[in-house]
Amino acid sequence: EAGVAQSPRYKIIEKRQSVAFWCNPISGHATLYWYQQILGQGPKLLIQFQNNGVVDDSQLPKDRFSAERLKGVDSTLKIQPAKLEDSAVYLCASLGDGHNEQFFGPGTRLTVL
Amino acid sequence: AQSVTQLGSHVSVSEGALVLLRCNYSSSVPPYLFWYVQYPNQGLQLLLKYTSAATLVKGINGFEAEFKKSETSFHLTKPSAHMSDAAEYFCAVTPSGSARQLTFGSGTQLTVLP
């Protein structure tokens, strides 16, 4: 079974630029998560999707962050415009119905200069 | 509401020594508890999970953890450290029933000394 795929793995941008990250969850997993992991901290949930609907986006900075999962499969997370404090690893995870374990992708490491 | 506290952001042990990584949780409902490991430039990999069955849980790579409700703890142990165990370890909690709402601790960086 293929795992959670993310791209790109690394991205370096300047502040005020835009950036997008892509995630393809494990096939058949209805729930998809985006986490932000700042260096030295644990992952923090940004947004949770159930199929193509948003379940929880209470911690998403909506003035600059957006995410979509239009067909209920893969998802895109966008930052526009980026700030220095957005430098972090962005992790995608998925959860299958009836399972009790989230599966994580390798992450995208974003550096904002 | 739920939270996790990992005592010790950095732990160093000698190769062959006991590994003990501490995790205390707070949860208003019965919890599920998880330990994840993260190697450099990689995502999170599940080590083990407590889901209301046996309180002593065995995981991969020789790790185990014991759920102690009275102490609200879920400490991770391994009898003998190996160089390959050097990584960052995260404890996480979620309300029992599913893994839908994970809350992570701040992590413990484990260094294994030769």
Side-chain angles (χ1 to χ4, degrees), chain B residues 20-97:
Chain B
L20 171 60
L21 304 183
R22 299 179 186 276
C23 172
N24 288 90
Y25 71 91
S26 172
S27 179
S28 56
V29 298
Y32 283 178
L33 293 155
F34 302 79
W35 275 100
Y36 283 87
V37 61
Q38 187 176 35
Y39 298 100
N41 300 315
Q42 295 187 27
L44 301 176
Q45 179 184 5
L46 183 69
L47 274 179
L48 50 79
K49 59 187 175 185
Y50 165 76
T51 55
S52 306
T55 56
L56 181 62
V57 180
K58 296 186 183 298
I60 62 172
N61 301 339
F63 284 94
E64 64 180 37
E66 186 172 7
F67 172 70
K68 292 187 176 181
K69 182 178 178 181
S70 61
E71 299 177 8
T72 61
S73 68
F74 190 57
H75 302 329
L76 182 70
T77 60
K78 182 175 180 178
S80 176
H82 191 273
M83 297 298 289
S84 61
D85 295 327
E88 187 145 26
Y89 293 79
F90 293 95
C91 183
V93 64
T94 186
S96 63

Side-chain angles (χ1 to χ4, degrees), chain A residues 9 31 33 37 100-102, chain B residues 38 41 49 90 99-100:
Chain A
R9 291 295 315 277
T31 308
Y33 305 83
Q37 185 181 15
N100 56 20
E101 174 188 347
Q102 291 187 21
Chain B
Q38 187 176 35
N41 300 315
K49 59 187 175 185
F90 293 95
R100 293 195 176 279

